[in-house]
Amino acid sequence: MLRIKDLVKRYGNDKPVLKNLNLEVPGESVVSIIGASGAGKSTLLRCINRLVEPSAGSITLNGMELTGLSSGQLRKARRRIGMIFQGFNLVDRLTVMENVQSGRLGYIPTWRAALRRYPQDDIDRAFHLMERVGIAHYANKRADELSGGERQRVGVVRALMQEPEILLADEPTASLDPKTSRQIMELLQALAAELRLPVLINIHNVTEAREFTQRIVGMRYGRIIFDGDPAALDNDAMDEIYAGVPAAEREEAEHTGHLREVAAR
């Protein structure tokens, strides 16, 4: 269970990006976060794993309060939080296997990582997961030789190598073509069920959010203004979430799968 209470994030003296936000994500659920650019979606995800430091409030994962941890405690806690990035965040000159093994850096001694002497159990697990997502045959291929969809699958396996208690995905399909985008969403949906893992996805593709996630959270101005079943995301809710996006453009966006990013104002 992820429990967020009264979360605030402010940069300097500016207005808060997140405003007393409250959210609970139970186990084995796939939840999408939608909203215009500037709504605070990415900031929310990055506060959860403290890539961004919250200004106030609490974030608890399965009973562990994350916001008050020291740097050493945080390093261990991050092992419990898998993260998938829009830009993949791979080391291009390293092989797929080496990139995947970076998901174990919180578990193995530094000397092993430096020498690339990974425990056999970790290698076996990596092959198992790579086989599951269809990239095992690329194990010794450099990351920069892969397509976008293949690179994102490497990112998924790297996150799963952490044996996380929750998976965060920050616009995981934004850099992909529509066909590959659907494949990645199908994969995340399937893995959540297989591994009994809660998944929280920041996504601009409302069509995919409706199809592949069990719950949609709509954000605007750093607040949650919709939280419910995809079937309940009607035109009124969309109007409120995407204020400032013309109706014609929104209709076109839903047909193509992608909403244009318009800064919330």
Side-chain angles (χ1 to χ4, degrees), residues 118 155 157 223 250 254-255:
Y118 310 113
V157 175
R223 300 184 189 277
R250 192 185 77 197
E254 290 215 64
H255 283 305

Side-chain angles (χ1 to χ4, degrees), residues 149 153 173 175-187 205 208 212 256 258:
R153 290 172 190 268
T173 64
S175 302
L176 306 177
D177 63 79
K179 179 181 178 180
T180 306
S181 177
R182 288 181 58 84
Q183 292 172 344
I184 293 297
M185 289 298 292
E186 288 172 352
L187 177 63
N205 190 319
E208 290 178 357
F212 296 109
T256 60
H258 291 277

Side-chain angles (χ1 to χ4, degrees), residues 143-208:
D144 58 5
E145 297 176 4
L146 304 181
S147 68
E150 291 161 351
R151 289 165 67 85
Q152 192 57 288
R153 290 172 190 268
V154 175
V156 170
V157 175
R158 176 184 58 194
L160 294 178
M161 285 293 290
Q162 297 176 222
E163 301 180 71
E165 296 176 19
I166 189 170
L167 197 59
L168 309 178
D170 191 9
E171 299 187 33
T173 64
S175 302
L176 306 177
D177 63 79
K179 179 181 178 180
T180 306
S181 177
R182 288 181 58 84
Q183 292 172 344
I184 293 297
M185 289 298 292
E186 288 172 352
L187 177 63
L188 292 175
Q189 182 187 52
L191 289 171
E194 291 171 20
L195 302 175
R196 306 173 72 86
L197 189 68
V199 180
L200 188 59
I201 306 173
N202 167 14
I203 189 170
H204 279 290
N205 190 319
V206 177
T207 300
E208 290 178 357

